[in-house]
Amino acid sequence: MAVTMADVARRAGTSVAVVSYVLNDGPRPVAERTRARVLEAVRELGYHRNRAAAALRSGRSGLVGLVLPDTTNPYFAALARELERALTGAGKLAVTANSDYDAPRQSRTVDLLLTAQVEGVVVVSAGGEEDPVTRALATGTPAVYLHHRPPGSDAPLVAGDNTAAIGAAVAHLREDGYQEIAFLAGPTDHGPVGDRVAAWRAATGGTEPLRCAYTRAAAAGLFGSLARSGRLPRALVAATDEQAIGLLAAAYAEGVRIPDRLAVVSCDGSPDANFTAPPLTVTRQPLRAMAERAIGILGGGDPSAGPLPAELAIGRSCGRHGLPSAILRRSR
C-alpha cells in the first residue's frame, strides 16, 4: 500500500492539513518544531507526493518549462543543468524541450507547455519574429528570455555582458602583441552573436567578420580553406566554443600550431573548453548567475537588472599570458 498524507499525519501526531501546509510550503505557517516532526515522518515512511493530484488540488503544477535551441550543444547543456539546479532549490521540476533553432517549433512548444499548466517558462530564443515569452506573459504565466531574445521584443531578458566580454578578449590579445584581430561569427548576426560582432567592430575597427555555421565541422572546414589559401589571420575571436573547438581540431590536422600561427579566444566557456589542446582562453558566461536570476524573475524578482559580467579565463591558446617562455620565443 502506498504511504498517504494521513499516514504521515498519524506518525507526526498532527492533522493532514498541517502535513499539506508543510509539503506545499503554505498557505498557512507551521511552527518549526511541528514542521520538523512532519518532515521526519516523511523520511521514516518514505512518503512521496502525487504531483498530479497535488496540482489538481492546488492549481499549481510545480513544473517550469525550459525551451532551448539544442541541448546536445555543451553550452546549452551546461545552462540547462544550472537551470535545473536553481529550480530544484526552489522546489520546482524542469520540463526541458528543444526548439532545434526553429522559431515556429519553439512557439508550438511554449503553447504545449502552457496547456500543461506550467508555472513558468524560460526560453533561449531560436531567432525569427516569434515572441513566445510575451505571449506567455499575456496569459498570466511568468516567463523570461535567457541568453537572448528576438528583435523588437521588450520581454524580460537575462544575459551576459557580451560587449564587455568582447572588449576584454580584444584587450587581452592586444596585450599579447596582436594588432589585427579577426572575428568568427555565424551565418547571421542574430542575438548575442550580433552584440559580439558589434563589440568587435567597435574595439578593432574591423568591418566584415569571418562566417560559418555554429558547429565544429563548419569551423574546421573554414579553417582548412583559409589555411590552404594563405588567408589565415594571426589572431581571432570565435563567437562560440563549438566553432573554436572546430578550429583547434582543424589546426592539428593541418599541422598549424596554436598559438604560434593563430591565437584564439572563444566566447561562452562551456565545459568542453576546459579539455581542448591547447586549453582555450574564453570569456566564460556566468551560467549559474544567469539561471538563478531567471528563476528569480519567474518568482517575482526584478526583471530590469542589467547584463551579468563574463569572466576572462586565460588558457594557452592565445599568447604569452598562458605560454611557457620557450614557446613564446618560438612564436615571436
Side-chain angles (χ1 to χ4, degrees), residues 33-89:
R33 184 175 297 179
T34 303
R35 177 183 294 273
R37 287 206 317 272
V38 169
L39 293 177
E40 180 61 25
V42 166
R43 284 190 291 270
E44 290 176 355
L45 296 174
Y47 173 76
H48 296 283
R49 279 197 306 166
N50 183 322
R51 184 175 289 273
L56 286 172
R57 288 193 301 268
S58 67
R60 298 167 58 189
S61 67
L63 305 176
V64 172
L66 312 179
V67 185
L68 307 172
D70 178 10
T71 53
T72 65
N73 180 309
Y75 174 79
F76 293 121
L79 185 55
R81 186 180 183 89
E82 292 297 342
L83 286 163
E84 290 174 346
R85 186 195 63 81
L87 284 169
T88 298

Short mmCIF file of all heavy atoms in Angstrom, two decimals, residues 33-89:
data_model
loop_
_atom_site.label_atom_id
_atom_site.label_comp_id
_atom_site.label_asym_id
_atom_site.label_seq_id
_atom_site.Cartn_x
_atom_site.Cartn_y
_atom_site.Cartn_z
N ARG A 33 8.94 23.37 15.13
CA ARG A 33 9.00 22.05 15.78
C ARG A 33 8.03 21.08 15.12
O ARG A 33 8.37 19.91 14.88
CB ARG A 33 8.66 22.20 17.27
CG ARG A 33 8.79 20.90 18.06
CD ARG A 33 8.57 21.13 19.53
NE ARG A 33 9.59 22.02 20.08
CZ ARG A 33 9.64 22.40 21.35
NH1 ARG A 33 8.70 21.99 22.20
NH2 ARG A 33 10.60 23.19 21.77
N THR A 34 6.85 21.56 14.76
CA THR A 34 5.87 20.70 14.09
C THR A 34 6.35 20.35 12.69
O THR A 34 6.23 19.20 12.23
CB THR A 34 4.50 21.41 14.01
OG1 THR A 34 4.09 21.76 15.33
CG2 THR A 34 3.46 20.52 13.37
N ARG A 35 6.90 21.33 11.98
CA ARG A 35 7.45 21.08 10.64
C ARG A 35 8.51 20.00 10.69
O ARG A 35 8.54 19.10 9.84
CB ARG A 35 8.02 22.38 10.07
CG ARG A 35 8.68 22.22 8.69
CD ARG A 35 9.30 23.53 8.23
NE ARG A 35 8.25 24.51 7.99
CZ ARG A 35 7.61 24.63 6.83
NH1 ARG A 35 7.91 23.82 5.82
NH2 ARG A 35 6.68 25.55 6.68
N ALA A 36 9.38 20.07 11.67
CA ALA A 36 10.45 19.07 11.79
C ALA A 36 9.86 17.68 12.02
O ALA A 36 10.36 16.69 11.46
CB ALA A 36 11.39 19.45 12.93
N ARG A 37 8.80 17.58 12.86
CA ARG A 37 8.17 16.27 13.09
C ARG A 37 7.57 15.72 11.80
O ARG A 37 7.68 14.52 11.50
CB ARG A 37 7.07 16.38 14.15
CG ARG A 37 7.56 16.56 15.56
CD ARG A 37 6.54 16.03 16.59
NE ARG A 37 5.16 16.40 16.29
CZ ARG A 37 4.59 17.52 16.69
NH1 ARG A 37 5.27 18.42 17.38
NH2 ARG A 37 3.31 17.76 16.41
N VAL A 38 6.92 16.58 11.03
CA VAL A 38 6.31 16.14 9.78
C VAL A 38 7.38 15.65 8.80
O VAL A 38 7.25 14.58 8.19
CB VAL A 38 5.48 17.28 9.15
CG1 VAL A 38 5.05 16.92 7.73
CG2 VAL A 38 4.26 17.59 10.01
N LEU A 39 8.45 16.42 8.65
CA LEU A 39 9.50 16.03 7.70
C LEU A 39 10.19 14.74 8.14
O LEU A 39 10.57 13.92 7.29
CB LEU A 39 10.51 17.17 7.56
CG LEU A 39 9.97 18.45 6.91
CD1 LEU A 39 11.05 19.53 6.88
CD2 LEU A 39 9.47 18.16 5.49
N GLU A 40 10.34 14.54 9.45
CA GLU A 40 10.93 13.30 9.95
C GLU A 40 10.00 12.13 9.65
O GLU A 40 10.47 11.05 9.23
CB GLU A 40 11.18 13.41 11.45
CG GLU A 40 11.80 12.16 12.07
CD GLU A 40 13.17 11.85 11.48
OE1 GLU A 40 13.84 12.78 10.98
OE2 GLU A 40 13.55 10.66 11.51
N ALA A 41 8.69 12.32 9.79
CA ALA A 41 7.73 11.25 9.46
C ALA A 41 7.77 10.94 7.97
O ALA A 41 7.67 9.77 7.57
CB ALA A 41 6.33 11.68 9.88
N VAL A 42 7.91 11.97 7.14
CA VAL A 42 8.01 11.77 5.69
C VAL A 42 9.21 10.89 5.37
O VAL A 42 9.13 9.94 4.58
CB VAL A 42 8.11 13.14 4.97
CG1 VAL A 42 8.56 12.94 3.52
CG2 VAL A 42 6.78 13.87 5.03
N ARG A 43 10.34 11.18 6.01
CA ARG A 43 11.56 10.39 5.75
C ARG A 43 11.40 8.96 6.26
O ARG A 43 11.78 8.00 5.57
CB ARG A 43 12.77 11.08 6.41
CG ARG A 43 13.27 12.31 5.67
CD ARG A 43 14.60 12.78 6.23
NE ARG A 43 14.44 13.32 7.59
CZ ARG A 43 14.18 14.59 7.86
NH1 ARG A 43 14.02 15.45 6.86
NH2 ARG A 43 14.08 15.00 9.11
N GLU A 44 10.87 8.81 7.46
CA GLU A 44 10.74 7.47 8.03
C GLU A 44 9.81 6.58 7.21
O GLU A 44 10.07 5.38 7.02
CB GLU A 44 10.22 7.58 9.47
CG GLU A 44 11.22 8.15 10.45
CD GLU A 44 10.63 8.34 11.83
OE1 GLU A 44 9.41 8.09 11.97
OE2 GLU A 44 11.39 8.68 12.76
N LEU A 45 8.73 7.16 6.72
CA LEU A 45 7.74 6.37 5.99
C LEU A 45 8.04 6.28 4.49
O LEU A 45 7.42 5.48 3.78
CB LEU A 45 6.35 6.97 6.20
CG LEU A 45 5.82 6.94 7.64
CD1 LEU A 45 4.50 7.70 7.73
CD2 LEU A 45 5.65 5.51 8.11
N GLY A 46 8.95 7.09 4.02
CA GLY A 46 9.25 7.09 2.58
C GLY A 46 8.11 7.66 1.75
O GLY A 46 7.84 7.17 0.64
N TYR A 47 7.45 8.68 2.29
CA TYR A 47 6.30 9.26 1.59
C TYR A 47 6.76 10.07 0.38
O TYR A 47 7.73 10.83 0.45
CB TYR A 47 5.50 10.16 2.54
CG TYR A 47 4.39 10.94 1.84
CD1 TYR A 47 3.21 10.31 1.46
CD2 TYR A 47 4.56 12.28 1.55
CE1 TYR A 47 2.21 11.01 0.81
CE2 TYR A 47 3.56 13.00 0.90
CZ TYR A 47 2.39 12.35 0.54
OH TYR A 47 1.40 13.06 -0.11
N HIS A 48 6.03 9.93 -0.75
CA HIS A 48 6.27 10.73 -1.96
C HIS A 48 4.94 11.33 -2.40
O HIS A 48 3.94 10.62 -2.51
CB HIS A 48 6.85 9.87 -3.09
CG HIS A 48 8.20 9.31 -2.77
ND1 HIS A 48 9.35 10.06 -2.83
CD2 HIS A 48 8.57 8.06 -2.37
CE1 HIS A 48 10.38 9.31 -2.49
NE2 HIS A 48 9.93 8.09 -2.21
N ARG A 49 4.98 12.63 -2.65
CA ARG A 49 3.75 13.29 -3.09
C ARG A 49 3.33 12.83 -4.47
O ARG A 49 4.17 12.60 -5.35
CB ARG A 49 3.96 14.81 -3.15
CG ARG A 49 3.85 15.51 -1.83
CD ARG A 49 3.66 17.00 -2.03
NE ARG A 49 4.67 17.61 -2.87
CZ ARG A 49 4.57 18.81 -3.39
NH1 ARG A 49 3.49 19.54 -3.18
NH2 ARG A 49 5.53 19.31 -4.12
N ASN A 50 2.05 12.72 -4.69
CA ASN A 50 1.49 12.53 -6.03
C ASN A 50 1.38 13.92 -6.65
O ASN A 50 0.47 14.69 -6.34
CB ASN A 50 0.11 11.87 -5.95
CG ASN A 50 -0.47 11.58 -7.32
OD1 ASN A 50 -0.32 12.37 -8.25
ND2 ASN A 50 -1.14 10.45 -7.45
N ARG A 51 2.35 14.26 -7.51
CA ARG A 51 2.42 15.62 -8.06
C ARG A 51 1.17 15.98 -8.84
O ARG A 51 0.67 17.10 -8.77
CB ARG A 51 3.66 15.75 -8.94
CG ARG A 51 3.88 17.16 -9.48
CD ARG A 51 5.17 17.25 -10.25
NE ARG A 51 6.33 17.19 -9.38
CZ ARG A 51 6.86 18.25 -8.79
NH1 ARG A 51 6.33 19.45 -8.97
NH2 ARG A 51 7.91 18.12 -8.01
N ALA A 52 0.64 15.03 -9.61
CA ALA A 52 -0.55 15.32 -10.41
C ALA A 52 -1.75 15.63 -9.52
O ALA A 52 -2.49 16.58 -9.75
CB ALA A 52 -0.86 14.15 -11.34
N ALA A 53 -1.91 14.82 -8.46
CA ALA A 53 -3.03 15.07 -7.56
C ALA A 53 -2.86 16.39 -6.82
O ALA A 53 -3.81 17.15 -6.63
CB ALA A 53 -3.15 13.92 -6.56
N ALA A 54 -1.63 16.68 -6.42
CA ALA A 54 -1.37 17.94 -5.72
C ALA A 54 -1.67 19.13 -6.63
O ALA A 54 -2.19 20.15 -6.19
CB ALA A 54 0.08 17.99 -5.25
N ALA A 55 -1.34 18.98 -7.91
CA ALA A 55 -1.59 20.07 -8.86
C ALA A 55 -3.08 20.31 -9.03
O ALA A 55 -3.54 21.45 -9.12
CB ALA A 55 -0.95 19.74 -10.21
N LEU A 56 -3.85 19.23 -9.07
CA LEU A 56 -5.30 19.38 -9.20
C LEU A 56 -5.90 20.08 -7.98
O LEU A 56 -6.81 20.90 -8.09
CB LEU A 56 -5.95 18.00 -9.39
CG LEU A 56 -5.75 17.36 -10.77
CD1 LEU A 56 -6.27 15.93 -10.75
CD2 LEU A 56 -6.43 18.18 -11.85
N ARG A 57 -5.38 19.73 -6.79
CA ARG A 57 -5.91 20.34 -5.57
C ARG A 57 -5.52 21.81 -5.45
O ARG A 57 -6.33 22.64 -5.04
CB ARG A 57 -5.40 19.57 -4.34
CG ARG A 57 -6.01 18.20 -4.15
CD ARG A 57 -5.69 17.66 -2.77
NE ARG A 57 -4.26 17.55 -2.56
CZ ARG A 57 -3.54 16.46 -2.81
NH1 ARG A 57 -4.13 15.39 -3.31
NH2 ARG A 57 -2.25 16.43 -2.58
N SER A 58 -4.26 22.13 -5.79
CA SER A 58 -3.76 23.48 -5.53
C SER A 58 -3.81 24.40 -6.74
O SER A 58 -3.71 25.62 -6.60
CB SER A 58 -2.30 23.40 -5.05
OG SER A 58 -1.46 22.92 -6.10
N GLY A 59 -3.96 23.81 -7.93
CA GLY A 59 -3.88 24.63 -9.15
C GLY A 59 -2.45 25.00 -9.50
O GLY A 59 -2.22 25.82 -10.38
N ARG A 60 -1.47 24.39 -8.82
CA ARG A 60 -0.05 24.67 -9.07
C ARG A 60 0.63 23.36 -9.44
O ARG A 60 0.63 22.40 -8.68
CB ARG A 60 0.60 25.28 -7.83
CG ARG A 60 0.01 26.61 -7.42
CD ARG A 60 0.47 27.03 -6.04
NE ARG A 60 1.92 27.11 -5.95
CZ ARG A 60 2.57 27.30 -4.81
NH1 ARG A 60 1.91 27.35 -3.66
NH2 ARG A 60 3.88 27.39 -4.80
N SER A 61 1.23 23.33 -10.64
CA SER A 61 1.83 22.09 -11.13
C SER A 61 3.22 21.84 -10.56
O SER A 61 3.69 20.69 -10.53
CB SER A 61 1.92 22.12 -12.66
OG SER A 61 2.84 23.11 -13.09
N GLY A 62 3.92 22.89 -10.15
CA GLY A 62 5.30 22.72 -9.71
C GLY A 62 6.26 22.52 -10.86
O GLY A 62 7.44 22.21 -10.65
N LEU A 63 5.79 22.70 -12.10
CA LEU A 63 6.61 22.48 -13.30
C LEU A 63 6.97 23.81 -13.94
O LEU A 63 6.17 24.74 -14.00
CB LEU A 63 5.85 21.63 -14.31
CG LEU A 63 5.32 20.28 -13.83
CD1 LEU A 63 4.50 19.62 -14.94
CD2 LEU A 63 6.47 19.38 -13.41
N VAL A 64 8.19 23.89 -14.44
CA VAL A 64 8.65 25.06 -15.20
C VAL A 64 9.22 24.57 -16.52
O VAL A 64 10.06 23.66 -16.55
CB VAL A 64 9.71 25.85 -14.42
CG1 VAL A 64 10.32 26.95 -15.30
CG2 VAL A 64 9.09 26.48 -13.17
N GLY A 65 8.77 25.15 -17.63
CA GLY A 65 9.23 24.74 -18.94
C GLY A 65 10.51 25.46 -19.35
O GLY A 65 10.62 26.68 -19.19
N LEU A 66 11.47 24.69 -19.87
CA LEU A 66 12.72 25.24 -20.40
C LEU A 66 12.78 24.91 -21.88
O LEU A 66 12.73 23.73 -22.26
CB LEU A 66 13.94 24.64 -19.70
CG LEU A 66 13.93 24.59 -18.17
CD1 LEU A 66 15.21 23.93 -17.66
CD2 LEU A 66 13.78 25.99 -17.60
N VAL A 67 12.85 25.93 -22.74
CA VAL A 67 12.92 25.70 -24.18
C VAL A 67 14.27 26.20 -24.67
O VAL A 67 14.56 27.39 -24.63
CB VAL A 67 11.78 26.43 -24.92
CG1 VAL A 67 11.81 26.07 -26.40
CG2 VAL A 67 10.43 26.06 -24.32
N LEU A 68 15.11 25.25 -25.11
CA LEU A 68 16.48 25.56 -25.51
C LEU A 68 16.68 25.21 -26.98
O LEU A 68 16.01 24.32 -27.51
CB LEU A 68 17.46 24.76 -24.66
CG LEU A 68 17.29 24.90 -23.14
CD1 LEU A 68 18.19 23.92 -22.41
CD2 LEU A 68 17.60 26.32 -22.71
N PRO A 69 17.62 25.87 -27.66
CA PRO A 69 17.82 25.58 -29.08
C PRO A 69 18.34 24.17 -29.35
O PRO A 69 17.94 23.52 -30.31
CB PRO A 69 18.86 26.63 -29.52
CG PRO A 69 18.74 27.72 -28.53
CD PRO A 69 18.41 27.04 -27.23
N ASP A 70 19.26 23.68 -28.47
CA ASP A 70 19.87 22.37 -28.75
C ASP A 70 20.60 21.90 -27.49
O ASP A 70 21.71 22.36 -27.20
CB ASP A 70 20.85 22.50 -29.92
CG ASP A 70 21.56 21.20 -30.23
OD1 ASP A 70 21.17 20.15 -29.69
OD2 ASP A 70 22.52 21.23 -31.03
N THR A 71 20.02 20.97 -26.77
CA THR A 71 20.64 20.51 -25.53
C THR A 71 21.82 19.58 -25.77
O THR A 71 22.50 19.19 -24.81
CB THR A 71 19.63 19.81 -24.61
OG1 THR A 71 18.97 18.77 -25.34
CG2 THR A 71 18.60 20.79 -24.08
N THR A 72 22.10 19.20 -27.03
CA THR A 72 23.32 18.44 -27.30
C THR A 72 24.53 19.37 -27.40
O THR A 72 25.67 18.92 -27.34
CB THR A 72 23.22 17.62 -28.60
OG1 THR A 72 23.09 18.51 -29.72
CG2 THR A 72 22.02 16.69 -28.56
N ASN A 73 24.30 20.67 -27.56
CA ASN A 73 25.37 21.65 -27.55
C ASN A 73 25.85 21.79 -26.10
O ASN A 73 25.05 22.06 -25.21
CB ASN A 73 24.84 22.99 -28.08
CG ASN A 73 25.90 24.08 -28.10
OD1 ASN A 73 26.58 24.32 -27.12
ND2 ASN A 73 26.02 24.74 -29.23
N PRO A 74 27.15 21.60 -25.83
CA PRO A 74 27.63 21.63 -24.44
C PRO A 74 27.29 22.91 -23.70
O PRO A 74 27.05 22.88 -22.48
CB PRO A 74 29.14 21.45 -24.59
CG PRO A 74 29.31 20.70 -25.87
CD PRO A 74 28.23 21.23 -26.78
N TYR A 75 27.26 24.04 -24.39
CA TYR A 75 26.93 25.30 -23.72
C TYR A 75 25.50 25.27 -23.21
O TYR A 75 25.23 25.59 -22.04
CB TYR A 75 27.13 26.48 -24.68
CG TYR A 75 26.66 27.80 -24.10
CD1 TYR A 75 27.45 28.49 -23.19
CD2 TYR A 75 25.43 28.34 -24.45
CE1 TYR A 75 27.03 29.69 -22.65
CE2 TYR A 75 24.99 29.54 -23.91
CZ TYR A 75 25.80 30.21 -23.01
OH TYR A 75 25.37 31.39 -22.46
N PHE A 76 24.55 24.89 -24.06
CA PHE A 76 23.15 24.85 -23.65
C PHE A 76 22.89 23.73 -22.65
O PHE A 76 22.03 23.85 -21.78
CB PHE A 76 22.24 24.74 -24.86
CG PHE A 76 22.26 25.97 -25.73
CD1 PHE A 76 22.64 25.89 -27.05
CD2 PHE A 76 21.92 27.20 -25.21
CE1 PHE A 76 22.68 27.02 -27.85
CE2 PHE A 76 21.95 28.34 -25.99
CZ PHE A 76 22.34 28.25 -27.32
N ALA A 77 23.66 22.63 -22.77
CA ALA A 77 23.52 21.55 -21.79
C ALA A 77 23.95 22.04 -20.41
O ALA A 77 23.30 21.74 -19.40
CB ALA A 77 24.35 20.34 -22.21
N ALA A 78 25.05 22.79 -20.35
CA ALA A 78 25.51 23.33 -19.07
C ALA A 78 24.52 24.35 -18.52
O ALA A 78 24.27 24.41 -17.31
CB ALA A 78 26.90 23.97 -19.25
N LEU A 79 23.94 25.15 -19.41
CA LEU A 79 22.94 26.13 -18.99
C LEU A 79 21.71 25.42 -18.43
O LEU A 79 21.15 25.82 -17.40
CB LEU A 79 22.57 27.02 -20.17
CG LEU A 79 21.61 28.19 -19.91
CD1 LEU A 79 22.13 29.08 -18.79
CD2 LEU A 79 21.40 28.99 -21.19
N ALA A 80 21.27 24.35 -19.11
CA ALA A 80 20.11 23.58 -18.63
C ALA A 80 20.39 22.99 -17.26
O ALA A 80 19.50 22.96 -16.39
CB ALA A 80 19.77 22.48 -19.63
N ARG A 81 21.59 22.53 -17.04
CA ARG A 81 21.94 21.95 -15.73
C ARG A 81 21.83 22.99 -14.63
O ARG A 81 21.32 22.69 -13.53
CB ARG A 81 23.36 21.37 -15.78
CG ARG A 81 23.77 20.61 -14.53
CD ARG A 81 25.18 20.09 -14.66
NE ARG A 81 25.57 19.30 -13.51
CZ ARG A 81 25.38 18.01 -13.38
NH1 ARG A 81 24.79 17.33 -14.34
NH2 ARG A 81 25.79 17.36 -12.30
N GLU A 82 22.31 24.21 -14.91
CA GLU A 82 22.21 25.27 -13.90
C GLU A 82 20.76 25.67 -13.65
O GLU A 82 20.36 25.96 -12.52
CB GLU A 82 23.03 26.48 -14.34
CG GLU A 82 24.53 26.25 -14.34
CD GLU A 82 25.10 25.94 -12.97
OE1 GLU A 82 24.42 26.22 -11.94
OE2 GLU A 82 26.22 25.40 -12.90
N LEU A 83 19.96 25.69 -14.70
CA LEU A 83 18.54 25.99 -14.53
C LEU A 83 17.86 24.93 -13.68
O LEU A 83 17.06 25.25 -12.78
CB LEU A 83 17.86 26.09 -15.90
CG LEU A 83 18.16 27.36 -16.71
CD1 LEU A 83 17.79 27.15 -18.16
CD2 LEU A 83 17.40 28.56 -16.13
N GLU A 84 18.15 23.67 -13.95
CA GLU A 84 17.55 22.59 -13.17
C GLU A 84 17.99 22.67 -11.71
O GLU A 84 17.19 22.43 -10.80
CB GLU A 84 17.92 21.24 -13.77
CG GLU A 84 17.24 20.98 -15.11
CD GLU A 84 17.73 19.72 -15.78
OE1 GLU A 84 18.77 19.19 -15.35
OE2 GLU A 84 17.07 19.27 -16.74
N ARG A 85 19.25 23.01 -11.47
CA ARG A 85 19.73 23.16 -10.09
C ARG A 85 18.97 24.27 -9.37
O ARG A 85 18.54 24.11 -8.22
CB ARG A 85 21.24 23.48 -10.11
CG ARG A 85 21.88 23.51 -8.72
CD ARG A 85 23.24 24.18 -8.77
NE ARG A 85 23.10 25.57 -9.17
CZ ARG A 85 22.74 26.54 -8.34
NH1 ARG A 85 22.49 26.30 -7.07
NH2 ARG A 85 22.63 27.78 -8.78
N ALA A 86 18.81 25.41 -10.06
CA ALA A 86 18.10 26.53 -9.44
C ALA A 86 16.63 26.19 -9.19
O ALA A 86 16.06 26.56 -8.16
CB ALA A 86 18.21 27.77 -10.34
N LEU A 87 16.03 25.46 -10.11
CA LEU A 87 14.62 25.07 -9.94
C LEU A 87 14.46 24.08 -8.79
O LEU A 87 13.51 24.17 -8.01
CB LEU A 87 14.08 24.47 -11.24
CG LEU A 87 13.76 25.48 -12.33
CD1 LEU A 87 13.48 24.78 -13.65
CD2 LEU A 87 12.57 26.34 -11.93
N THR A 88 15.37 23.14 -8.68
CA THR A 88 15.31 22.18 -7.57
C THR A 88 15.39 22.91 -6.25
O THR A 88 14.66 22.59 -5.29
CB THR A 88 16.45 21.15 -7.68
OG1 THR A 88 16.30 20.42 -8.91
CG2 THR A 88 16.43 20.19 -6.51
N GLY A 89 16.25 23.91 -6.17
CA GLY A 89 16.36 24.70 -4.96
C GLY A 89 15.08 25.46 -4.63
O GLY A 89 14.81 25.75 -3.47
#
